[in-house]
Amino acid sequence: MPSEIQEQILAFYGRLASDPNHRYRSWEHCYGHFRGHATFATPLQIDTAALYLAFYLASWGMYRGSSALLQKDYRIHQPAVSKLLEHSYDVLWDLDFEDSARDGSTADLIISLSEAIKATYRDFQPTDTLLTKILLGTVGCAPACDQYFIIGFRRSGHLELRYSQFDSNFLCRVFRFCRQYKEAFREAQEDIAKSSGIRYPLMKLADMYFWNIGFSLSAKKKAGEISNEI
């Protein structure tokens, strides 16, 4: 299992490692910009952060034709950026997930932030996919619960990894899994840092691991359907 975790994460990272302008790098740009969140004090700085967030979300599929965001400019994200900067969420910016006793309170605070961000989008109801992609691209405190991640999470071979919705119970399951295989995650983290100069947070690595499983499973299923048709 540890070697498989590293392989899946590095396979995901391999998609962008050879292309300095790969769309997946939009996460690096957004996350890297938000690492300086303590300096976001002026309207211009909030505006710039919203622009980073919007482009990252576009690169990661959140501005598709059916998305409500497609009809909005990047400034719709300014209230969400301001909410992310509230001091009540400061502890979420540099989590290490080492203390299992804090799992419940950490998970509850992440859900609280998610709900607070959700309330800033008054023109539409954000999905869990959008909310978790915002959390992943800024604070880096939760994986992005999109289609491939959920498939990978449910089909990873671990019976305890259930997903029904983005909630505290789900987050605690992710925390426990990462702690169980922390050495494998840390080694992948170091490998990527040596290559990119960026220290990917643990929740980003978990996102990459389960997403890559889900993507591979979906590709195999699609190939099988095509084969049957032929």
Side-chain angles (χ1 to χ4, degrees):
M1 172 56 68
S3 61
E4 192 258 348
I5 288 174
Q6 290 177 262
E7 288 170 6
Q8 293 285 358
I9 292 173
L10 295 179
F12 181 103
Y13 183 74
R15 293 183 176 90
L16 64 147
S18 61
D19 184 352
N21 301 117
H22 196 285
R23 70 180 180 90
Y24 286 1
R25 291 195 182 276
S26 292
W27 175 86
E28 292 186 346
H29 302 319
C30 187
Y31 177 76
H33 184 74
F34 273 86
R35 287 295 85 194
H37 63 277
T39 66
F40 298 172
T42 69
L44 179 58
Q45 288 166 333
I46 300 296
D47 187 76
T48 301
L51 185 56
Y52 269 90
L53 178 57
F55 197 93
Y56 149 69
L57 292 172
S59 292
W60 285 81
M62 300 312 296
Y63 278 76
R64 292 192 181 100
S66 60
S67 169
L69 285 178
L70 189 63
Q71 307 304 322
K72 306 295 182 181
D73 72 1
Y74 74 92
R75 286 177 171 163
I76 195 172
H77 301 298
Q78 288 178 342
V81 171
S82 295
K83 185 60 64 175
L84 287 162
L85 302 181
E86 290 186 2
H87 291 305
S88 54
Y89 303 110
D90 283 351
V91 69
L92 297 179
W93 287 91
D94 293 294
L95 294 173
D96 60 18
F97 304 99
E98 292 289 344
D99 186 358
S100 61
R102 296 183 179 178
D103 282 358
S105 60
T106 297
D108 287 345
L109 188 59
I110 293 171
I111 296 301
S112 173
L113 175 56
S114 173
E115 290 298 317
I117 292 171
K118 183 177 182 178
T120 69
Y121 293 96
R122 297 183 178 88
D123 292 346
F124 61 93
Q125 286 293 312
T127 63
D128 284 348
T129 301
L130 174 58
L131 294 170
T132 53
K133 286 193 177 184
I134 291 172
L135 292 174
L136 181 62
T138 57
V139 186
C141 63
C145 298
D146 61 10
Q147 174 188 2
Y148 291 134
F149 175 90
I150 293 171
I151 291 171
F153 194 76
R154 287 172 169 168
R155 299 285 298 279
S156 65
H158 296 267
L159 296 178
E160 73 277 11
L161 296 182
R162 303 179 305 279
Y163 181 89
S164 57
Q165 60 184 342
F166 180 64
D167 60 14
S168 294
N169 289 330
F170 157 73
L171 285 170
C172 287
R173 287 192 284 272
V174 178
F175 300 163
R176 287 193 295 268
F177 180 86
C178 291
R179 200 156 42 240
Q180 181 179 358
Y181 297 104
K182 66 179 180 180
E183 295 302 324
F185 280 105
R186 295 303 185 195
E187 288 184 25
Q189 187 180 53
E190 292 302 322
D191 287 342
I192 293 173
K194 289 175 184 176
S195 174
S196 68
I198 300 171
R199 193 168 185 82
Y200 278 40
L202 194 56
M203 289 299 103
K204 173 58 174 171
L205 298 174
D207 178 82
M208 294 161 71
Y209 170 63
F210 289 112
W211 189 98
N212 209 59
I213 292 175
F215 180 80
S216 298
L217 288 171
S218 296
K220 289 177 182 178
K221 181 179 179 181
K222 184 177 181 180
E225 290 172 351
I226 293 172
S227 176
N228 291 335
E229 289 176 3
I230 293 173

